[in-house]
Structures are given as structure tokens and as C-alpha cells.
Amino acid sequence: MTDRPIARRRWHIAVFLAPALLVYTVVMIVPLFQTLALGLENVRDGATRFVGLDNFRVLFGDPRWSAGFWNAFQNNLVFFAFHMLVQNPIGIALAALLTVPRLRGVALYRTALFLPTILSFVIVGFIWRLLLSPLWGVAPSVLDAVGLRFLFAPWLGQEGSALIAVSLVSVWQFVGIPMILIYAALITIPSEITEAAECDGITGFKQFFKIKLPLILPTIGLVSILTFVANFNAFDIVYVMQGALGGPNGSTDILGTYLYRTFFGFQLQSGDRHMGAAVATAMFLFILVGVSFYLFVIQRRMRRYQM
Amino acid sequence: MATAPSQRFRMGLVHAALLVYTAISLVPVLVVLMNSFKARRDIFGSPLTPPLPETASLAGYRQVMAQGDFVLYFQNSLIVTVGSLIFVLLFGAMAAFAFSEYRFRLNSVLALFLALGIMVPIRLGTVAILQMMVAAGLVNTLTALVLVYTAQGLPLAVFILSEFMKTVPEDLKNAGRVDGLSEYRIFFQLVVPLVRPALATVAVFTMIPIWNDLWFPLILAPGEETRTVTLGAQIFLGQYVTNWEAVLSALSLAIVPILVLYLIFSRQLIRGITAGAVK
């Protein structure tokens, strides 16, 4: 459009963009980089100095720090594994059930199944603490009713089971996300494809695994990376259910709670913002590695597969 | 139709599976809501029965109202959520309009710069955000939370809204230009009304994590005056852990607003996800 004065229009672009870019840059991007920079400094002889990678040497190698850090990292991996192995398969299964042709009440099921996802961690954590508490005993009486009373134990209070219990609660809460994303992918599969499959006698389970699943692999990849970012950034569910120490005895401590304690201190531990920044930087790097792996390895391969 | 009975049987299995999982997702919430209306003895005695006329009690609610400042917390949450929402929608729509409407040199670079925020959690910048808020004297103010949530919500809002704005017909905007409308009026009077459904979707997406957030209220605004419902409930639940009537009532009070909101907007939310997820 040559008849529009270009020079005048450029101002509009700046005006439209300025507020969003300003807030985003000042409140999010600059602090992110400042945090990374803070991780390279520490207090030496009463003055803040640049110490290079010293904080990371301490964090990864000095037993006073590294034991807790690697424990949190390991727990975080377990936490992530549970989401990948339990949450996402259940989500896929539910989505597959919801897209069964001629099923009634889909909207109702969808709404109900997605509901836990919108509740806050505080509520979810507390609901489950109450239900699983040996004091109130809803869980024991439910198990009693189905004849499985002997299975009951104070799961949240035992080192061996606490992390599993917390992971499963988080899975309970967030199963709606993979469900709805996969559901969205499934309903956009062109009907010609499924009809062609039906003509060839491929129906039901076989149709799902042979035809639909390969088609929704990119969405499963997206769900996996979203799960990864959310899990390695998690904090609330552990904080609410097991406290900032990730009890019992650090068995549910994940990177989020470790960051919180390092930065703000807790009980006898005093806060250290430089080490806190180092922990945040380490988390940032983990997430960056995961996201890059997804973008450059997984997503690229899937595109090729689709063509 | 020789397959009709087996077809019906299979449908039955599908419903059975879905119903079992629906129960798994709803029963825990229902147990809490139900028991919040019961007296202490019945909460323990018969946790799985609904409140009957002889067991119903509002004692828990009375205690919560007397002890906690829940009204204040609700007000704070409301101010923070609505405030952030307005900024996210306004600034987000403006930026999305610029990205989808104009061709300029930095277009794709800036769009990518904003998209970074979808993958990188703002939480990782907390250390420096707190420093900044301390320096600006904004600690323990709702403004600090609004700023953080606006920054947090913008990337996804811009991303979703630009997709939608690309679908607004070019002719319409050009007709406006021929009629002498300024670019601002084209945006506010022609484009914004047309993308209202998308704005509603983004609003629901943005609102839920803000209302539910615990991390930033805990760090930026833990003071008594600025507590949000989530933080207030967390503190209250921690303190009164032995007072079961009050705890259950407090939980229910924190659940109900988001539940109502969800039931109102659930179609919008799910439509938004199903429309926006696979592009």
C-alpha cells in the first residue's frame, strides 16, 4: 500500500508494542539475567565480588551444599518420571475415551476431569493431606470398604513413600492438561483418515495405536516438554504438603524447595542470595537443556516424520 | 445391525472407565466441601456421608470468619487478579496487533523475544525481582504482584492473540483506513470487538494461575495487609491444623470462587484450548 504514509505508521507500531515489551523486559527478562549475574558473585571479606563459577563449584562439589542439591535434583527426576509414566498415559487414555464416536456426555466428563487442574496447590495439597492423614482416616475407611485396609500406611510421613505420594497428588491435579491437549489433537484428525481406516477394517484399539497415535506424536512431544518445564520449576505442591524442608528427611525436597531455602533461609539456615541465584541458574540451565533437546532433536525429527 | 449389542457393551465400558476417573477427580473435592458443613464429631465419625439435617453445622464458617481476615484476602486476590488481567489483555492485544498487522524490521525478532517467556518460568528470576521490588519500595504492595503477573501473562497472551488477529479480514481494516480512522481506532473499534472470544479465552488462562499462585505472594507480599486468598489460606491452614471444622471451611471458601468461575467459563476455556493448541 504505497498510498499510506510509512513514516507516520512507524510510530503506531512503537506505541502498540511499548507497554508489553517494557513490562516484560523490566520485570522478567532483566531480572532473569540479573539472577544469572548474581550467581557469579559472592561476598568475600565483607564485600561483594565477582567469583566466576566458584558458587557452582561449591553447589555441585562441596558436600555441605551438593548433598542437598543432588538429592533435590534426583527427587525432581523421580517427580518428573511419575508425571511422564502415570500422568501422561492416563491423560492420553482419557482423551482417547472422550473421542470415542457417538459418546454421550463428553462435555460433562471433560469439565469434571479438568476440574482439579484449576484448583490451587494450597487447596489440592491440603485436601490430600487431610484425606491421607491417619488422623481423619478417609483413606483407611475407603480402603477398608474395598477390603484393602492392610495397604494403608501414613504414606506422606514415610521416607520411602512420601515422594511417590506427592508425585501422585500432583499427577491427580494435572492430568487434565495432557488430556485436553491430546483431546484437541485427536479431534482435529481429518475424518477421511479414520474413515479410510474403517474401510480397511482397522477400528477400536488397533485404529488408535496404528493410525491416531502416530498422528498425535507431535502433541505428545509438546505435552512432554510442558511437563518437564513445569516439573523442574515446581515448588508449591511440596511446600504445601511437606513444608519447605521437603520432609520427611529431605525425601520430597525438589529444586524449587531447595531454591526457596537457599535464597530465603529456613529455620537454622540463613538465606544466601548469591547461592540462591546459583541454584536458580542451575535450574535455568536444566530447563534450557531440556527445551533445546526438545526443539532441536525431538520436534525436528517429528516434522520429518509427519512429511 | 448384528453388532449392536457388542457396540452397546463397549460403550458401557467406555462410560464405566470415564465414570471411575471422574469419581477419582471429583470425590476428594466433594469430601472436603461436604464435611465443611458438618459438626466436628460427624467430620470424624462419618466423613463420607453428606451433611444431614441432624449433622449440619456452620460452626467452621463462623470460626473462619471470626479469626481469619478472609474478606480482606479475597479483596486482595481480586484486585491483583483483575488488575493484572486488564494489563495482560490490553498490552497483550496491542502487541499482538502490532505483530500481526504491521511488517517492520524487528517483527520476528521481537516476537521470538516475547515467546521466550512461554518456556522460561519467571520464577527463576525471583532473586533479582525481589531486589528490584525492594529498591523500588514495592515490597508488600499489590502493585508488585500486578507487575509480576502482567509480565508472566504477556508472552502467552501475545502468542494466542496474534494467531487470532491474523484471521481478522484485511478488507475491514483497509475500509476503516479509507474512512480516515486512525490506527488506534482501527484497533479499538474494529479489531478488539472481533477478537472478543479470543480475549475471553486468554482471560481465563491468565486468571487461574494468578489467582492460585503461592510463590510470589509468599515472597513479595507476605504482609498481613496484602495477603492473597491462596497465601492467607496457606497460613491459616498451617496455624489451625487441629481445628478441623475451621480448616475445612477455609478450604471450601478458597475453592468456591475458582469453582464458580470455572463452571461459568469452562466452555470458553476448553474451546480455547482445543482451538489454540494445534496450529
Side-chain angles (χ1 to χ4, degrees):
Chain A
M1 300 273 153
T2 43
D3 54 347
R4 261 183 277 146
I6 301 285
R8 222 189 67 205
R9 270 180 51 207
R10 299 217 164 259
W11 272 110
H12 302 301
I13 302 175
V15 172
F16 278 124
L17 282 175
L21 285 178
L22 199 72
V23 176
Y24 171 73
T25 311
V26 172
V27 185
M28 182 159 179
I29 297 297
V30 170
L32 264 172
F33 282 97
Q34 276 178 339
T35 303
L36 304 189
L38 268 173
L40 301 174
E41 294 175 344
N42 211 330
V43 180
R44 292 273 186 282
D45 315 318
T48 307
R49 300 231 171 96
F50 179 81
V51 295
L53 298 176
D54 223 33
N55 293 336
F56 294 96
R57 210 174 39 78
V58 172
L59 188 63
F60 298 148
D62 182 338
R64 279 180 306 146
W65 287 92
S66 66
F69 178 77
W70 291 119
N71 172 49
F73 180 70
Q74 219 175 355
N75 289 339
N76 224 147
L77 282 179
V78 174
F79 189 70
F80 173 56
F82 264 92
H83 285 77
M84 288 301 282
L85 296 176
V86 184
Q87 172 190 281
N88 294 346
I90 293 180
I92 295 171
L94 289 172
L97 289 175
L98 285 177
T99 46
V100 165
R102 292 177 291 278
L103 181 78
R104 280 156 188 245
V106 175
L108 230 66
Y109 283 127
R110 244 171 18 197
T111 306
L113 294 171
F114 199 76
L115 187 133
T117 309
I118 61 141
L119 299 178
S120 86
F121 291 100
V122 171
I123 295 168
V124 169
F126 231 89
I127 288 180
W128 282 99
R129 257 175 75 185
L130 295 180
L131 295 179
L132 296 178
S133 128
L135 259 181
W136 193 15
V138 173
S141 42
V142 169
L143 284 177
D144 210 14
V146 288
L148 292 171
R149 175 68 195 246
F150 64 94
L151 279 178
F152 183 77
W155 290 305
L156 290 172
Q158 294 176 340
E159 278 182 47
S161 58
L163 182 59
I164 301 172
V166 172
S167 304
L168 289 178
V169 168
S170 172
V171 165
W172 173 83
Q173 181 177 12
F174 285 114
V175 83
I177 299 210
M179 179 197 80
I180 210 79
L181 290 175
I182 305 279
Y183 172 80
L186 284 174
I187 58 174
T188 49
I189 292 178
S191 54
E192 296 92 70
I193 295 182
T194 47
E195 278 161 18
E198 266 155 41
C199 286
D200 291 342
I202 305 172
T203 51
F205 278 103
K206 213 168 153 199
Q207 189 189 65
F208 180 77
F209 283 106
K210 291 249 153 98
I211 315 253
K212 291 183 174 167
L213 198 62
L215 286 172
I216 58 164
L217 275 182
T219 310
I220 295 180
L222 178 75
V223 165
S224 309
I225 191 65
L226 289 178
T227 310
F228 174 80
V229 174
N231 285 170
F232 272 80
N233 184 39
F235 158 79
D236 313 57
I237 194 72
V238 174
Y239 180 78
V240 168
M241 290 185 76
Q242 306 293 74
L245 283 168
N249 198 18
S251 60
T252 56
D253 196 20
I254 56 172
L255 291 172
T257 40
Y258 189 76
L259 167 65
Y260 178 83
R261 289 203 313 278
T262 311
F263 181 32
F264 299 98
F266 191 74
Q267 291 174 357
L268 293 176
Q269 180 185 3
S270 61
D272 181 336
R273 64 178 180 177
H274 294 292
M275 286 308 283
V279 176
T281 306
M283 288 167 71
F284 181 82
L285 292 177
F286 290 143
I287 291 176
L288 205 66
V289 168
V291 171
S292 318
F293 176 75
Y294 164 74
L295 287 178
F296 297 116
V297 181
I298 305 210
Q299 205 188 36
R300 191 160 291 182
R301 217 167 265 179
M302 280 189 188
R303 283 231 178 96
R304 220 175 283 150
Y305 179 86
Q306 269 201 306
M307 285 193 272
Chain B
M1 293 288 271
T3 53
S6 84
Q7 181 76 26
R8 207 175 299 154
F9 176 70
R10 265 161 64 190
M11 235 10 155
L13 281 184
V14 170
H15 276 292
L18 284 170
L19 281 174
V20 167
Y21 206 88
T22 304
I24 293 175
S25 41
L26 294 188
V27 167
V29 182
L30 286 179
V31 167
V32 167
L33 289 178
M34 242 162 48
N35 283 288
S36 73
F37 293 102
K38 296 200 312 211
R40 185 184 179 78
R41 188 163 28 87
D42 302 300
I43 293 175
F44 278 96
S46 48
L48 296 175
T49 50
L52 303 166
E54 64 270 23
T55 59
S57 151
L58 287 175
Y61 287 93
R62 261 183 248 118
Q63 288 173 36
V64 173
M65 285 309 177
Q67 289 171 339
D69 285 310
F70 261 79
V71 178
L72 176 70
Y73 302 158
F74 270 107
Q75 199 185 314
N76 288 337
S77 275
L78 210 64
I79 293 172
V80 169
T81 310
V82 173
S84 319
L85 198 59
I86 291 171
F87 289 125
V88 169
L89 290 181
L90 179 66
F91 298 169
M94 284 165 65
F97 183 68
F99 286 128
S100 63
E101 180 65 13
Y102 306 120
R103 249 182 267 160
F104 51 97
R105 208 178 307 148
L106 291 175
N107 188 317
S108 48
V109 177
L110 287 179
L112 197 70
F113 173 67
L114 264 172
L116 262 181
I118 299 177
M119 281 294 181
V120 181
I122 192 170
R123 239 176 228 195
L124 296 179
T126 305
V127 178
I129 290 177
L130 179 63
Q131 270 190 339
M132 184 176 83
M133 295 301 174
V134 171
L138 289 174
V139 171
N140 274 329
T141 65
L142 299 178
T143 315
L145 293 178
V146 171
L147 280 171
V148 170
Y149 294 141
T150 305
Q152 170 187 279
L154 277 170
L156 193 66
V158 173
F159 181 75
I160 297 176
L161 290 174
S162 9
E163 292 292 319
F164 275 93
M165 285 191 185
K166 282 179 192 147
T167 64
V168 175
E170 198 62 35
D171 290 346
L172 187 78
K173 289 172 278 191
N174 284 336
R177 289 191 180 106
V178 170
D179 287 346
L181 290 186
S182 72
E183 296 297 312
Y184 304 109
R185 295 188 67 174
I186 288 175
F187 170 69
F188 281 110
Q189 293 184 350
L190 298 180
V191 177
V192 168
L194 280 177
V195 297
R196 226 179 317 174
L199 286 173
T201 305
V202 173
V204 182
F205 272 124
T206 313
M207 200 153 47
I208 292 171
I210 297 176
W211 181 275
N212 286 340
D213 190 40
L214 176 63
W215 176 267
F216 283 111
L218 187 65
I219 287 157
L220 295 178
E224 175 69 33
E225 291 300 305
T226 50
R227 262 173 218 166
T228 58
V229 175
T230 311
L231 182 60
Q234 160 68 13
I235 292 169
F236 183 85
L237 296 174
Q239 274 169 354
Y240 297 97
V241 71
T242 47
N243 187 344
W244 288 68
E245 291 156 320
V247 163
L248 291 172
S249 307
L251 266 177
S252 305
L253 280 176
I255 294 174
V256 169
I258 199 81
L259 199 69
V260 170
L261 212 68
Y262 175 62
L263 292 177
I264 295 172
F265 286 108
S266 65
R267 273 189 66 197
Q268 199 69 47
L269 178 75
I270 286 168
R271 194 188 300 153
I273 298 169
T274 43
V278 263
K279 269 274 149 72

